[in-house]
Amino acid sequence: MIRIEVVQGDITAVRADAVVNAANSTLLGGGGVDGAIHRAGGPEILEACRELRASTHRDGLPTGDAVATTAGRLPARWVIHTVGPVWSGATDRTPLLRSAYSRSLAVADELRARVVAFPLISAGAYGWPLEDAVDVAVSTIRGASTEVEHVVLVAYGEAADRLLRAAVD
């Protein structure tokens, strides 16, 4: 069974085998978590992402999928980049959000990572309602078949922290 821990703060400072990046499909950096990871990790991450774009992901990383790169200067070995869906009130994109978590854990298994830090995927600029994002994250991680032993859910802000702690306890 996966041990889930909640911390509030900066995901770029979390010590883990792998840190999950809520990336955009270009893999070339952006705002929010994506920008913070690229800034803190340094140019090695961007270079590794460019190599992925040139070789296997010319059209970008599909929503719900995940890939890994070096973590550069982060206190982790790898960054697992995943693209979450943009929230829509008209279309249920929950399966894509679940896939972003599941695929990230599958990539972590391929890397043999045992401790993985996650942000709340899609809950920032992609507009996913916070309570639902928490429910999807926790239920997907708890239900996963994985070798990952410890997941750190990193809350950005007090509301996310409160909701995550309530869902995990």
Side-chain angles (χ1 to χ4, degrees), residues 9-83:
D10 179 357
I11 196 166
T12 67
V14 174
R15 293 200 170 279
D17 296 323
V19 171
V20 176
N21 178 17
N24 63 54
S25 65
T26 70
L27 297 175
L28 301 178
V33 170
D34 195 15
I37 284 174
H38 276 270
R39 282 189 303 277
E44 299 88 352
I45 296 173
L46 181 58
E47 183 56 36
C49 286
R50 283 186 175 136
E51 289 173 14
L52 283 170
R53 286 286 307 230
S55 62
T56 57
H57 296 287
R58 291 181 197 277
D59 296 327
L61 185 65
T63 302
D65 203 355
V67 293
T69 66
T70 180
R73 296 187 299 245
L74 296 176
R77 243 178 119 183
W78 302 285
V79 173
I80 298 171
H81 306 268
T82 190
V83 180

Side-chain angles (χ1 to χ4, degrees), residues 2 8 31 52 61-62 93 96 99 108 115 125 146 150 155 161 164 169:
I2 300 173
Q8 183 180 354
L52 283 170
L61 185 65
R93 296 181 177 160
L96 288 169
S99 179
V115 180
T146 181
H150 181 188
D161 183 63
L164 280 167
D169 288 342

